Every structure is written in C-alpha cells, then in structure tokens.
Amino acid sequence: MDPALSALLRATQGDPFAVLGPHPLENGQVWVRALLPGASEVSVIAGEGTHALPVEHGDGLFAGAVPLASAQAPYRLRAQWPGSSALTLDDPYRFPPLLGEMDSWLLSEGSHQRPWQVLGAHCRSVDGVAGVGFAVWAPNAGAVSVIGDFNGWDKRRHPMRRHVSCGVWDLFVPGVDADARYKFALCDAHGKALPDKSDPYAFFAERRPATASIVAPALAQPQAFDRAAVNDADGPLAIYEVHAGSWRRREGGGGKQPFLSWPELADALAGYATELGFTHVQLLPVTEHPFDGSWGYQPTALFAPSSRFGRPRDFLAFVDTLHAAGIGVLLDWVPAHFPADAHGLARFDGTCLYEHLDPRRGRHPDWNTLIYNLGRREVSNYLVASALYWLEEFGIDGLRVDAVASMLYLDYSRPDGQWVANRYGGRENLEAVAFLREVNSIVRERHPHALMIAEESTAWPKVTAAPQGGGLGFHFKWNMGWMNDTLTYVSRDPIYRRYHHDDLTFGFTYAHSERFILPLSHDEVVLGKRSLLGKMPGDRWRRFANLRAYLGFMYAHPGKKLLFMGGEFGQWREWHHDRSLDWHLLEDADHRGLQQVVRDLNRLYRSDRALHRGDNDSRGFEWISGEDVDQGVVAFLRREPGGEALVVAVSHFTPEPLYGYRVGVPHPGRYRECFNSDAEVYGGSGIGNFGALEAEPVPFHGRAYSLALSLPPLATVMFQWQPTR
C-alpha cells in the first residue's frame, strides 16, 4: 500500500490534504478520496448527479474519478454504514485553509494581538456551509486529528492541515455545532501516539473529572461599565475576595451539584457586596481546573470559565449583574505555573512546548507543577492573550496576578545547585521580567482603566512603576509584609505586644514605596493558620474586640483594602474549599456586630477623601505618635493631598481603657468621632468621646493643639476634623 495512505489509516498522516479530498486529473475529471471508517458505500453528490466511489481499502478508504467542473467545485458525500440509513455530509477536505497569511505570520512571530479569535474552536460558515473551525498550535507534532462526539472519537476521521510556517494545524469540520465535545489526538515527530489533549484555547470544558473541551458559541458583548470610575487609583478600593465554590453552597447532598450557578451566585453576591459597601469582588481563579483542592490555582484552560458554575455566557451574565450593581470584578490569574495532567499542556506535541525542558527551570518545587517557558514568544503571546481575553470578552475590570515572586527569581524555593543562573550569573528571571512588563504595557495601552495587581512577597523594586521607568508596570502590589507583621502582632497576647511594637509600625515606613493593597486574603485563613477571629488572643469578648480594632487600623492605614470572605463576620473555623461559609453565625449578635464594623468602615472609607485619596501619596499620612509601646497606642493623621479632609486615627491594642489620653492635632476646631470599634452596636463596651471633641490649645506631640481622648480597650477610633467656617 502507498505509504501515504498507510499513514492515513494509522492516523499518522501529517499532510492529509495531499491524499484526501479533490485533486484534478489531466482528463478534466477530479479524483476524490474519502476516509470514512466502517462505511460500506460512499458516493459523491455533485449537482444533479451521484457518482459512486470505489473501495480503495477495506478500512473505509474510498476513491475514484468524478466529473466535476474543477477541484474547487462544491460536492457532498453520501455514506452508508451497515445497519443504518445513508448519511449525506460535506467533505472537510474540499474546504480551503482557515488560517490566512497574516494570521499565520503573526502567530509565527508570537505577536498576534488576539490569537483566541483564530485558534481554538469557532462556530462558523464556510462557502455557505455551517460547521466548526478547529485550530491548534503543535509545531513538533507529526500529525494531529480533531476527535469528538461528531466522529466517534476516531482519530482517523479528521486529520488536520499543517501550516509549516507557524506550526498551527487547522480543519473546518462541517455539520458540527455548539456543545460538541472534542479533543486533539496527536502523534510525535516519530509517529508515536501521545495522550489526547484538551484545547489550549478552549472557551468551555467538561466538568471534572471529564476533560474534553466543548465548542462554545460566540459571546455577546459585555454591558457598558464605567471601569475608569470604579478603578480610580486615587479613589476607594475595597475588595471582597471570594471563592465561587464555597461562598455559598447548595444545601443537601444526594449527588446534587453542590455549587451555585453563576446566575444564582450573581444575584446573591451582588446584593451582599453592595450592602456591605465593597467596591469590587475578586474571584479566586475561575479558569477551568481539574482539582477542586487547588482552589483554581492549577488551571488547564486559561480561556474557559469553569463549568462547575455554568456556561461561559452565564459567567458573562454574572459579570454584567455585578456591574449593574456598581461592583467591579477582578479575577485571580495564574501565569506562573500549570499542572502536569496528561490532557493539558505538558509535553503537548511530544516536546516541552509550553514548559522548560530543564526541570531546574521548568518544574515548580512547591506545587510540583510546570513552569511556562516565557522566553518562547508563542508561549508569552498565549499568556498575554489570556489576560486580554478576560478583559475584553467578559469585561473584567482587572487581574490579580498570582505568585509573581516565584516568576521573578530563578532560585525561588530551590536550594543551591538546583537552579540555573541568568546570562549575567544572577538569580533574576529576565524572561519573566520581560513578560510581566509586556503584559502590563499591553493592558495599559489597550485598557488603560483596567487594573493589574501583583501578588509579590519580596522587596523587588518598582513593582508598580511604569515599564518605561524600569518598573514591572503593575498598578498595585499586595503588601505581604504589612499583612505578616500586623497579623503576627495582633495574634500575640497583649501582655507581650510591647516587645513587638515594630510589627505594628514598620509598615508605615514603606507604605508609599509602592502602590499597595493591604490583603487579608484566603492564604491567611487555611492550612492551620486559623481564621482571622481564631488568631485573636484572649476570651471571646477580647477576640472580637481585637479583630474589630485590627480592621479599623487596616482601614485607617494607607493602602487599598482586601478582605477574604468570612472575615467580615468572624468565621471561627478555617476556610475550606468544599464547605460553605458558616452563615448561621450571623444569628449571633457579636458576629452581626463585626459585620456592621466592616459595613461602616467601607462606608467611611468610601465617603471620606482623607482615607483613600492619600493612599498612594506620602502627603496623605502623618505621624502623631508611634512610640507608646507600653500602652500599645499608635496615632496618626490621614489627609487628602491638596484638600481639607483630615482624619485622626488612634488604635489602642491593650485591654484596659485609657482616659484623658492626649494626642496632638494640627488645627483648632471640632473633631467628630466618626468610628469607634468599641461602640455598643458592634458588641463593644461603649466607651467613647460623646460624639465629638473640641481641640484644646494645649501643645502636645509638637503641635499647638491637642485632644484629650477616652480610648476604649482594644479599639480603634477615628475623628473627622470639621473646620470652623
């Protein structure tokens, strides 16, 4: 048998269009070959005529001369399988390539602006015939077929066309529609079969543990939303971090789907976030992932919202619902690593296509996952495209980029001898730096009001400086140092806090070195770390008082705010991804009081310009006193740069009330007590300052005026200056 035909029957034919479909003959006829395994008869239907194709090989190969006007003339096939009715279908191998020259060139350069529009699976019509166009990048594969519901998962049926210039394989398959399941069957350059692969550009996927991709129809346009207003860097940014699978779950069991759908979650979450005064909801990764216990941080489909919660159009409706409520939507995005599951990107075409070959660069020791080869243009283009896809197709307002520190350092979590230095002998990952600058620059250019937020835990300089100035280009960085220091401080018994006062105050020394978000995130309430309320020392009353005081301190401190779900009402147990939050706790007054604290802090933070407009400006903060170690008191001013708004904030972290506690203030006039975490409505003791105080002309803390305060135990109080008109 001809080797080309033999390869076709073995699904190792890398050039199927050379042997299948129409080919002109010298006598003016057209030679047509079709491979339909299991068929007993095949005919060509052209115009009014029907022409039987002789059997060329008993494995379903039919071929013969047909009187067509040209090799480009349209025709259909009629196939008969034993025991079934004849089926009329269009021959995929009579259609032209899907990939145009420009797309091919841009993909080969790794510079395509929107590769998801040409790669993946797209419902389309070609020459008036409806079907799906499939395209996948696999430059080192020997052959690629698309398999799915529509061909019995038979890799012989639909081998794909290779574009040598860019390494993309494509095929238009007539008659396929949305909701069809599919994968790609590949063999390596030596003809060895590889594990069937999900589509790297899939827009939808089967629910785990199944792993097929699903053809999804094109999305509608996201609803218009004033991204510029909600993402104003000088405005309030109060983020509610949510894990979609466990914020609320369906009651009962019996094999029912435990997750709320996107529409159900949208209605409940939009109302809740609005009622509590948050400006944004940030979702832990919703890209498709096989393992619930990864919380989404081991994604296998960077373009597909997880099918756990519904279809892509449902997720778009979720975003639109939150937008209609005035809530911005941020997504956790994971370009730092990916899982080694056989159906995913690992050794995609038989080579380390997406990952580094050397495990010292290509495998992550902390998570036993693989690391993207960011030095390869096609790979970095894939990731940049994923970022843009969520911003453009779903109207997402920003991305929180996970594990940036692990990207920046070649020796991250690696002992000596198990990492490879850069070309200068250093530990900096120059390819990752270039990638981060690129993705941030492109987002800044195309979506100037979207946010890029770094989870970066080291002292890498200029994380939030523009790339043109040598920075990485993020808009904000999580302040992990502030979080670690202050949580350590408030977790100590008050009797020992005097020895660790620097943990409370050190964050102020660098508060404006970057544009920071203060994160009390999911990572701080799992894996034995205890919940926020569980970290607090002392009896029940002191625990609630400590947490109320700490949240007040956080909202007064320079920096945008982030609070993980459950922290706002005092979840006792640690968060677990397969359990709902303990909403029944809100039947208790103390938990309702804590929730009211968060509600009132968000309201105050959003309404008072002094508390947010100076977050990124050193003129927005001024010490009053940070030296009262014995009594655990810090006092400072928050100002609106260039404006009149002024707030005096005092946090007291010992359990005895202090009366007549004097703090210096810059102006005469009335200072209204706008927040007191010890208020009775919150569950506190009710010690306060009668609503307001007049500044006295008593010099203190180097200022001409001062206030004599009643400081409640374990409390934060704030005062708004009201100048005399």
Side-chain angles (χ1 to χ4, degrees):
M1 178 183 249
D2 187 323
L5 300 183
S6 177
L8 193 67
L9 295 172
R10 297 194 313 271
T12 59
Q13 172 57 265
D15 189 11
F17 279 81
V19 289
L20 290 174
H23 298 271
L25 296 172
E26 292 182 357
N27 61 6
Q29 292 189 311
V30 175
W31 184 265
V32 176
R33 180 178 284 115
L35 177 59
L36 294 167
S40 56
E41 299 177 17
V42 174
S43 301
V44 172
I45 303 173
E48 304 262 330
T50 299
H51 311 276
L53 292 181
V55 174
E56 188 174 30
H57 192 278
D59 284 340
L61 201 58
F62 299 81
V66 178
L68 295 175
S70 71
Q72 288 74 44
Y75 65 86
R76 304 190 80 194
L77 300 174
R78 177 174 293 163
Q80 177 74 56
W81 279 268
S84 63
S85 301
L87 180 67
T88 301
L89 63 157
D90 286 279
D91 184 359
Y93 298 95
R94 77 167 181 85
F95 292 94
L98 297 175
L99 209 61
E101 289 186 11
M102 179 58 70
D103 284 329
S104 181
W105 181 78
L106 291 171
L107 290 170
S108 69
E109 292 287 308
S111 60
H112 201 293
Q113 293 187 355
R114 293 174 177 84
W116 70 85
Q117 294 180 350
V118 292
L119 296 175
H122 297 269
C123 296
R124 59 190 303 172
S125 179
V126 179
D127 294 342
V129 177
V132 173
F134 297 93
V136 62
W137 178 59
N140 303 303
V144 181
S145 297
V146 60
I147 56 177
D149 295 330
F150 44 87
N151 61 18
W153 302 91
D154 187 340
K155 60 186 177 183
R156 297 171 296 175
R157 284 285 304 276
H158 290 113
M160 303 176 75
R161 172 194 289 107
R162 182 179 185 177
H163 296 263
V164 177
S165 64
C166 60
V168 170
W169 304 73
D170 74 13
L171 187 69
F172 174 68
V173 183
V176 179
D177 204 349
D179 294 335
R181 297 181 304 149
Y182 71 98
K183 282 188 175 182
F184 295 111
L186 303 91
C187 63
D188 67 15
H190 306 290
K192 179 183 176 182
L194 300 171
D196 295 340
K197 295 291 187 178
S198 301
D199 184 356
Y201 281 89
F203 304 130
F204 191 35
E206 286 187 291
R207 187 177 303 157
R208 51 85 180 111
T211 58
S213 303
I214 299 177
V215 177
L219 292 169
Q221 285 294 312
Q223 291 180 6
F225 183 64
D226 192 352
R227 186 185 280 170
V230 77
N231 284 353
D232 181 3
D234 291 323
L237 196 68
I239 303 168
Y240 187 48
E241 189 188 29
V242 171
H243 178 254
S246 59
W247 184 69
R248 292 187 190 272
R249 288 167 77 93
R250 220 177 289 284
E251 296 296 329
K256 288 184 177 180
Q257 158 73 303
F259 307 114
L260 297 185
S261 67
W262 285 123
E264 291 170 323
L265 188 62
D267 291 339
L269 187 55
Y272 185 77
T274 301
E275 199 272 328
L276 261 67
F278 289 101
T279 63
H280 292 70
V281 164
Q282 178 175 306
L283 296 174
L284 270 65
V286 300
T287 43
E288 194 58 78
H289 52 283
F291 178 45
D292 290 6
S294 78
W295 312 335
Y297 288 100
Q298 294 189 14
T300 50
L302 284 184
F303 293 79
S306 177
S307 58
R308 290 166 176 82
F309 315 108
R311 305 175 65 85
R313 64 170 179 255
D314 297 326
F315 181 65
L316 176 60
F318 167 88
V319 176
D320 285 343
T321 298
L322 267 70
H323 281 170
I327 302 293
V329 181
L330 308 173
L331 288 190
D332 239 321
W333 183 62
V334 189
H337 62 122
F338 61 93
D341 296 60
H343 70 281
L345 299 181
R347 298 194 68 86
F348 189 82
D349 63 359
T351 68
C352 291
L353 185 63
Y354 286 87
E355 70 271 32
H356 287 278
L357 175 63
D358 189 335
R360 296 174 297 174
R361 296 201 65 187
R363 185 168 288 274
H364 204 297
D366 285 352
W367 303 301
N368 196 29
T369 49
L370 302 177
I371 299 173
Y372 290 103
N373 181 357
L374 297 174
R376 184 163 196 161
R377 287 296 308 161
E378 299 95 333
V379 174
S380 63
N381 190 217
Y382 170 74
L383 293 171
V384 170
S386 173
L388 292 175
Y389 175 75
W390 296 99
L391 297 172
E392 295 182 1
E393 300 295 330
F394 292 100
I396 297 300
D397 303 295
L399 302 174
R400 177 264 195 187
V401 184
D402 179 62
V404 170
S406 76
M407 301 174 70
L408 291 173
Y409 298 95
L410 296 166
D411 62 345
Y412 187 89
S413 286
R414 299 180 188 275
D416 290 343
Q418 295 186 22
W419 60 281
V420 181
N422 64 34
R423 62 181 177 270
Y424 303 113
R427 59 198 284 254
E428 300 81 9
N429 188 334
L430 304 179
E431 295 167 353
V433 171
F435 163 73
L436 293 170
R437 286 174 174 165
E438 178 186 21
V439 67
N440 288 329
S441 295
I442 290 173
V443 169
R444 282 172 178 261
E445 176 186 348
R446 299 187 194 167
H447 304 283
H449 301 299
L451 297 180
M452 295 295 285
I453 301 166
E455 185 213 14
E456 203 287 310
S457 55
T458 75
W460 188 281
K462 296 186 175 182
V463 172
T464 56
Q468 301 91 320
L472 295 182
F474 287 97
H475 298 91
F476 290 101
K477 167 181 170 171
W478 275 20
N479 193 336
M480 311 293 280
W482 173 90
M483 177 273 300
N484 281 310
D485 288 348
T486 59
L487 277 180
T488 299
Y489 177 86
V490 296
S491 298
R492 298 184 187 277
D493 190 292
I495 197 171
Y496 301 115
R497 288 176 178 169
R498 66 186 307 274
Y499 305 108
H500 303 278
H501 197 69
D502 285 352
D503 285 341
L504 192 64
T505 60
F506 183 61
F508 291 103
T509 65
Y510 61 87
H512 298 100
S513 61
E514 300 275 8
R515 297 160 80 172
F516 282 122
I517 291 173
L518 309 181
L520 297 179
S521 76
H522 64 280
D523 276 329
E524 312 320 316
V525 294
V526 290
L527 305 177
K529 297 179 184 178
R530 298 171 293 170
S531 68
L532 288 182
L533 189 58
K535 295 176 194 291
M536 301 299 116
D539 59 19
R540 177 186 171 93
W541 190 92
R542 290 189 180 191
R543 286 188 169 194
F544 276 96
N546 262 298
L547 185 50
R548 293 193 303 263
Y550 179 54
L551 291 173
F553 173 76
M554 170 190 180
Y555 272 75
H557 195 290
K560 308 306 181 185
K561 324 301 176 189
L562 180 142
L563 184 61
F564 183 58
M565 64 183 200
E568 79 277 12
F569 63 78
Q571 181 98 355
W572 281 110
R573 63 173 179 85
E574 288 185 344
W575 168 63
H576 198 282
H577 64 274
D578 63 3
R579 288 182 58 185
S580 174
L581 295 182
D582 294 329
W583 294 101
H584 65 275
L585 293 175
L586 286 169
E587 297 171 9
D588 179 90
D590 287 332
H591 293 278
R592 291 197 304 273
L594 183 59
Q595 187 188 56
Q596 186 64 43
V597 164
V598 173
R599 182 183 292 110
D600 289 349
L601 283 171
N602 277 330
R603 175 191 53 77
L604 179 63
Y605 171 65
R606 295 177 68 168
S607 63
D608 195 309
R609 298 187 306 275
L611 291 176
H612 59 254
R613 297 203 69 81
D615 278 336
N616 307 315
D617 189 328
S618 60
R619 296 175 299 164
F621 170 83
E622 190 175 324
W623 271 117
I624 295 174
S625 172
E627 294 82 31
D628 193 348
V629 172
D630 292 331
Q631 298 185 101
V633 177
V634 291
F636 52 90
L637 301 175
R638 293 299 309 278
R639 294 180 181 273
E640 176 191 14
E644 283 192 342
L646 174 71
V647 168
V648 176
V650 184
S651 291
H652 172 216
F653 287 105
T654 58
E656 298 298 326
L658 302 175
Y659 296 100
Y661 191 92
R662 194 165 290 278
V663 297
V665 293
H667 307 298
R670 189 171 185 263
Y671 288 77
R672 185 178 72 86
E673 189 175 60
C674 56
F675 177 77
N676 183 338
S677 68
D678 190 54
E680 290 182 355
V681 68
Y682 303 145
S685 63
I687 296 174
N689 295 275
F690 303 103
L693 291 171
E694 287 289 332
E696 302 175 55
V698 177
F700 212 76
H701 291 136
R703 302 176 187 277
Y705 299 89
S706 60
L707 303 173
L709 305 179
S710 294
L711 289 185
L714 301 172
T716 292
V717 292
M718 292 188 240
F719 301 86
Q720 291 172 323
W721 175 55
Q722 297 178 327
T724 303
R725 297 297 183 186

